[in-house]
């Protein structure tokens, strides 16, 4: 019952039942604590989950493999990869050897943290220790290499998996279709869909949705629409992510009327527009080619009924210190607490970009500061080694990137004035930029370069790498002490 209430996020009732259980002389054991930790973790209440982990040990309950794996899983999914890895090390120190499930979790965690070679080494260690990879492990490895764009390695692992006697499941087929799609082999991806059917796997809505998404991202609106229709003809109802994919496709090619009809159809089907739905519309509004487009997108945003719209409409002016904006953003992000990190990151990116391009740059800066404090962008700032920092902007819109960079540099200045501690080196990574339209150019990189040049910064490209700006030593420290570094985001 405790587990069921926790699963349904009825935490008040769950704790009341737990108190009743103790009053009746039935003390919580490791299984009980595992249920509680899992319940809070699924709802993104990570502090509460860690408090329970400490409480169970104080109560004399020894954490088991399930306890550690749950904590590893929830922290990895929330982006707290250092805590996830710490849990793995504590599990080993406690004499609990990893099983296939634990290995798979850590491999996934390392891969998501950008340590793919380490993840691959652990995969090899797993085999050497006599712990046989299962289909889930292979799916994770294939997916990690696919996301790292190591498409040939991903396809080799797919063949190795089959040679080891594992038959692909729907997850495997979906990953392989993504790999082929990103390689530009969309017809081959469709052939995998056919193979899937021949092997008696009935394609479900997410599989159809994947093909809608692949063709949409390839810019082929007609093909995306055909697969959407094929899904309906198969007797399947679309889910919100598939509708979002098609909505994104329509918005990308400025088919606003079709986007409106799709959104109305979603509402007729009883589908509740998600945070991602609203984010797509807000981004489209920001990129609107005319005031008419912006007005129509505004109507679409309002029709979603999503709380994000009221959050944006009621955004206060920054005032003297921006605290009213920060309070407003804090309240909204608390309301969105249970949303996954990627969805929250996408919305904050769209909001900051919108405010920046609308001239509300003080407000944009305040929104960014709250989001950074709440770890919405966990990889935006990282200390690579002692006093060597990395500012990672490559997954942001250009307005967000400029705001994030400005406020982060202002934070360095504040730290220097408060403690005297100076960074020895700062790398600003822009990549090619999420908004890049042409291979070899980046609107993020261009915006960052213009900002740095405008203020005569000592940052320069390293070894011809146009996607990375480097500043170091005394020139960097002298420049950071200029008072205008505090106000860069306003220009």
């Amino acid at each position: 019952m405790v587990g069921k209430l926790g699963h349904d996020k009825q935490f008040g009732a769950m704790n009341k039942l737990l108190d009743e259980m103790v009053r009746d002389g039935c003390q919580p054991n490791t299984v009980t604590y595992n249920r509680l930790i899992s319940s809070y973790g699924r709802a993104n209440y990570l502090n509460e989950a860690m408090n329970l982990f400490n409480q169970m040990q104080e109560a004399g309950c020894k954490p088991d493999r399930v306890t550690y794996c749950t904590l590893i899983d929830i922290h990895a999914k929330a982006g707290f990869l250092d805590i996830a890895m710490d849990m793995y090390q504590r599990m080993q120190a406690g004499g609990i050897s990893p099983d296939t499930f634990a290995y798979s979790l850590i491999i996934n965690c390392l891969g998501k943290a950008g340590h793919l070679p380490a993840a691959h080494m652990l995969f090899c260690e797993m085999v050497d220790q006599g712990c046989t990879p299962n289909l889930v492990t292979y799916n994770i490895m294939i997916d990690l290499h696919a996301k790292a764009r190591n498409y040939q390695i991903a396809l080799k692992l797919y063949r190795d998996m089959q040679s080891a006697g594992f038959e692909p499941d729907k997850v495997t087929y979906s990953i392989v279709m993504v790999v082929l799609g990103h390689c530009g082999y969309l017809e081959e991806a469709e052939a995998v869909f056919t193979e899937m059917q021949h092997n008696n796997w009935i394609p479900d809505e997410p599989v159809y949705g994947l093909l809608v998404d692949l063709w949409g991202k390839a810019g082929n609106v007609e093909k995306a629409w055909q697969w959407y229709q094929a899904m309906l003809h198969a007797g399947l109802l679309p889910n919100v992510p598939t509708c979002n994919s098609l909505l994104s496709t329509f918005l990308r090619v400025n088919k606003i009327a079709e986007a409106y009809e799709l959104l109305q159809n979603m509402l007729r089907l009883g589908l509740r527009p998600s945070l991602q739905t609203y984010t797509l519309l807000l981004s489209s509004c920001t990129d609107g080619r005319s005031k008419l487009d912006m007005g129509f997108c505004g109507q679409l945003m309002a029709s979603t009924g999503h709380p994000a719209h009221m959050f944006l409409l009621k955004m206060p002016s920054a005032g003297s210190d921006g605290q009213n904006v920060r309070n407003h953003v804090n309240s909204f992000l608390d309301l969105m607490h249970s949303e996954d990190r990627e969805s929250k990151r996408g919305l904050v990116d769209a909001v900051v970009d919108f405010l920046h391009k609308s001239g509300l740059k003080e407000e944009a800066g305040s929104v960014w500061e709250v989001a950074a404090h709440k770890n919405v962008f966990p990889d935006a700032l990282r200390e690579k080694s002692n006093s060597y920092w990395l500012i990672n902007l490559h997954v942001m819109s250009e307005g967000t990137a400029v705001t994030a960079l400005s406020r982060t540099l202002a934070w360095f200045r504040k730290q220097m004035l408060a403690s005297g501690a100076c960074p020895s080196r700062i790398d600003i990574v822009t990549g090619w930029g999420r908004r890049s339209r042409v291979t070899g150019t980046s609107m993020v990189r261009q915006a960052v370069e213009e900002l740095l040049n405008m203020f005569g910064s000592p940052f320069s490209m390293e070894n011809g790498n146009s996607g990375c700006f480097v500043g170091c030593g005394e020139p960097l420290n002298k420049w950071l002490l200029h008072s205008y570094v505090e106000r860069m985001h306003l220009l």
Side-chain angles (χ1 to χ4, degrees), residues 258-270:
E258 288 83 349
Y260 175 80
E261 183 56 37
L262 178 64
L263 185 58
Q264 295 307 308
N265 195 44
M266 282 178 68
L267 297 172
R268 284 193 292 269
L269 290 171

Side-chain angles (χ1 to χ4, degrees), residues 266-443:
M266 282 178 68
L267 297 172
R268 284 193 292 269
L269 290 171
L271 297 174
R272 188 176 180 183
S274 66
L275 200 57
Q276 187 189 23
T277 314
Y278 189 82
T279 300
L280 289 169
L281 294 169
L282 178 56
S283 294
S284 181
C285 183
T286 305
D287 295 337
R289 300 176 186 178
S290 68
K291 289 185 178 180
L292 178 63
D293 287 346
M294 289 185 67
F296 203 2
C297 283
Q299 291 177 32
L300 288 176
M301 288 155 62
S303 70
T304 64
H306 198 280
H309 193 59
M310 291 308 298
F311 158 72
L312 198 59
L313 286 180
K314 293 186 176 181
M315 179 73 69
S317 58
S320 59
D321 60 359
Q323 189 57 46
N324 49 355
V325 174
R326 288 192 286 274
N327 291 340
H328 184 63
V329 178
N330 259 309
S331 298
F332 175 71
L333 289 179
D334 286 343
L335 179 67
M336 295 289 107
H337 187 86
S338 296
E339 292 280 354
D340 67 272
R341 182 169 53 89
E342 284 303 305
S343 296
K344 285 187 285 192
R345 185 194 65 75
L347 179 74
V348 171
D349 177 75
V351 168
V352 175
D353 193 43
F354 173 78
L355 293 172
H356 176 86
K357 291 175 179 174
S358 300
L360 301 172
K361 297 180 181 180
E362 193 72 81
E363 288 80 358
S366 295
V367 173
W368 166 261
E369 288 170 7
V370 174
H373 179 71
K374 287 184 173 288
N375 204 44
V376 175
F377 290 80
D379 302 321
L381 181 64
R382 180 164 58 91
E383 190 172 18
K384 292 185 71 174
S385 60
N386 187 33
S387 298
Y388 176 10
W389 293 83
L390 179 72
I391 302 174
N392 193 346
L393 309 173
H394 85 277
V395 296
M396 303 176 191
S397 305
E398 60 268 26
T400 307
V402 168
T403 302
L405 176 60
S406 302
R407 300 318 296 147
T408 304
L409 292 173
W411 175 82
F412 276 115
R413 180 178 184 275
K414 184 178 179 181
Q415 294 296 109
M416 288 173 65
L417 292 173
S419 66
C422 304
S424 62
R425 171 171 167 163
I426 298 175
D427 289 2
I428 303 170
V429 177
T430 63
W432 290 125
R434 184 166 69 87
R435 303 284 183 180
S436 178
R437 294 287 184 265
V438 182
T439 302
T441 66
S442 165
M443 295 171 74

Side-chain angles (χ1 to χ4, degrees), residues 52-358:
L52 283 163
F53 174 67
N54 295 325
Q55 283 176 29
M56 72 183 289
Q57 293 172 91
E58 291 168 5
C61 290
K62 189 175 179 182
D64 60 10
R65 186 182 286 114
V66 173
T67 318
Y68 285 111
C69 285
T70 302
L71 288 166
I72 290 167
D73 189 38
I74 63 177
H75 282 94
K77 285 176 178 174
F80 295 98
L81 302 171
D82 52 342
I83 298 176
M85 291 305 299
D86 179 61
M87 284 295 117
Y88 174 59
Q89 289 159 7
R90 289 171 72 168
M91 180 178 77
Q92 288 183 307
I96 302 173
S97 58
D99 58 4
T100 299
F101 178 69
Y103 268 119
S104 299
L105 277 178
I106 298 300
I107 287 168
N108 196 30
C109 183
L110 284 168
K112 286 185 174 179
H115 307 305
L116 189 52
H120 201 92
M121 282 179 63
L122 192 62
F123 177 75
C124 296
E125 175 194 312
M126 173 184 180
V127 176
D128 292 342
Q129 293 293 327
C131 194
T132 306
N134 59 16
L135 183 60
V136 172
T137 319
Y138 274 110
N139 283 346
I140 288 170
M141 285 300 299
I142 294 168
D143 189 44
L144 288 174
H145 279 289
K147 286 175 178 172
R149 300 186 180 183
N150 300 329
Y151 299 128
Q152 296 308 316
I153 297 175
L155 291 174
K156 182 182 181 300
L157 280 165
Y158 176 56
R159 292 190 292 270
D160 290 347
M161 182 200 78
Q162 291 173 307
S163 298
F166 290 104
E167 291 291 334
D169 63 1
K170 277 192 284 193
V171 174
T172 323
Y173 281 124
S174 296
I175 297 168
V176 172
M177 287 162 68
V178 168
V179 170
L180 292 169
H182 285 302
C183 287
Y185 305 136
L186 272 77
E187 287 79 7
E188 287 82 350
E190 290 182 336
V192 171
F193 177 89
T194 304
E195 178 189 325
M196 179 181 179
Q197 290 179 307
H198 286 163
N199 289 335
N200 297 320
W201 285 101
I202 300 173
D204 56 8
E205 194 283 333
V207 175
Y208 281 99
L210 174 61
L211 286 164
V212 172
D213 188 56
L214 287 174
W215 282 111
K217 285 176 177 172
N220 194 322
V221 183
E222 292 73 20
K223 269 284 194 176
W225 176 250
Q226 286 173 20
W227 277 104
Y228 181 79
Q229 290 296 312
M231 175 186 61
L232 297 178
H233 292 152
L236 297 168
L237 286 177
N239 62 13
V240 174
T242 297
C243 290
N244 286 343
S245 292
L246 193 56
L247 180 66
S248 176
T249 302
F250 286 146
L251 292 172
R252 200 178 300 121
V253 295
N254 211 37
K255 289 184 175 289
I256 304 296
E258 288 83 349
Y260 175 80
E261 183 56 37
L262 178 64
L263 185 58
Q264 295 307 308
N265 195 44
M266 282 178 68
L267 297 172
R268 284 193 292 269
L269 290 171
L271 297 174
R272 188 176 180 183
S274 66
L275 200 57
Q276 187 189 23
T277 314
Y278 189 82
T279 300
L280 289 169
L281 294 169
L282 178 56
S283 294
S284 181
C285 183
T286 305
D287 295 337
R289 300 176 186 178
S290 68
K291 289 185 178 180
L292 178 63
D293 287 346
M294 289 185 67
F296 203 2
C297 283
Q299 291 177 32
L300 288 176
M301 288 155 62
S303 70
T304 64
H306 198 280
H309 193 59
M310 291 308 298
F311 158 72
L312 198 59
L313 286 180
K314 293 186 176 181
M315 179 73 69
S317 58
S320 59
D321 60 359
Q323 189 57 46
N324 49 355
V325 174
R326 288 192 286 274
N327 291 340
H328 184 63
V329 178
N330 259 309
S331 298
F332 175 71
L333 289 179
D334 286 343
L335 179 67
M336 295 289 107
H337 187 86
S338 296
E339 292 280 354
D340 67 272
R341 182 169 53 89
E342 284 303 305
S343 296
K344 285 187 285 192
R345 185 194 65 75
L347 179 74
V348 171
D349 177 75
V351 168
V352 175
D353 193 43
F354 173 78
L355 293 172
H356 176 86
K357 291 175 179 174
S358 300

Side-chain angles (χ1 to χ4, degrees), residues 2-45:
V2 165
K4 174 62 178 168
L5 289 168
H7 183 272
D8 293 340
K9 301 178 184 177
Q10 301 293 320
F11 296 116
M14 180 185 77
N15 288 320
K16 184 178 177 182
L17 185 62
L18 193 64
D19 291 340
E20 182 182 327
M21 171 180 164
V22 173
R23 282 199 307 273
D24 287 347
C26 189
Q27 294 301 318
N29 59 13
T30 300
V31 174
T32 316
Y33 279 110
N34 286 346
R35 292 271 187 165
L36 295 169
I37 290 169
S38 178
S39 297
Y40 278 114
R42 274 197 305 267
N44 278 338
Y45 290 105

